[in-house]
């Protein structure tokens, strides 16, 4: 890339650096442009990207892995529910009847 800039963030462990590299790859950045560099006990994840994508890459690198995992889990649940609409509707109706029964008890 002739018109590229470097986005880099340091991590305290190799596992965290690999997780950040995987987040970048899932976000659409080319895996071969992502490097993990060791500096003593720390690891830096560096990516060469276009200037307009630098802020996005840094946001992904500094983002929370937990939030990313929750987002992916939510996407998979949404896909499963939309693929089984009848089952989802039945479970929602069952939950509604259960809530109605619990609130009407005396």
């Amino acid at each position: 890339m002739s018109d590229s800039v470097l986005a880099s963030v340091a991590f305290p462990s190799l596992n965290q650096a690999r997780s950040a590299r995987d987040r970048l790859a899932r976000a659409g950045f080319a895996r071969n442009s992502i490097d993990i560099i060791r500096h003593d006990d720390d690891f830096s994840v560096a990516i060469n990207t276009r200037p307009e994508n630098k802020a996005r890459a840094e946001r992904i690198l500094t983002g929370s892995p937990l939030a990313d995992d929750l987002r992916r889990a939510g996407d998979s649940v949404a896909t499963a529910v939309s693929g089984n609409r009848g089952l989802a509707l039945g479970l929602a109706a069952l939950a509604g009847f259960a809530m109605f029964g619990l609130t009407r008890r005396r």
Side-chain angles (χ1 to χ4, degrees):
M1 277 184 186
S2 62
D3 230 12
S4 66
V5 294
L6 184 69
S8 179
V9 175
F11 294 95
S13 73
L14 181 59
N15 286 339
Q16 289 178 349
R18 287 180 177 161
S19 175
R21 179 187 60 194
D22 292 342
R23 286 195 309 269
L24 283 170
R26 280 194 307 270
F29 289 95
R31 191 176 275 280
N32 61 355
S33 67
I34 305 168
D35 296 321
I36 296 178
I37 305 160
R38 184 176 184 164
H39 300 286
D40 295 329
D41 291 336
D42 292 336
F43 296 88
S44 293
V45 177
I47 180 169
N48 286 316
T49 186
R50 293 187 303 219
E52 59 267 16
N53 289 333
K54 183 180 180 194
R56 181 172 157 243
E58 287 177 342
R59 187 176 62 245
I60 292 169
L61 283 171
T62 58
S64 169
L66 177 63
D68 186 55
D69 290 343
L70 290 175
R71 187 177 310 110
R72 279 197 343 229
D75 289 343
S76 67
V77 167
T79 302
V81 167
S82 67
N84 299 311
R85 289 184 189 252
L87 179 63
L89 184 60
L91 288 174
L94 184 62
F97 284 126
M99 291 298 293
F100 179 75
L102 289 173
T103 57
R104 300 301 268 170
R105 274 190 170 172
R106 292 196 185 238

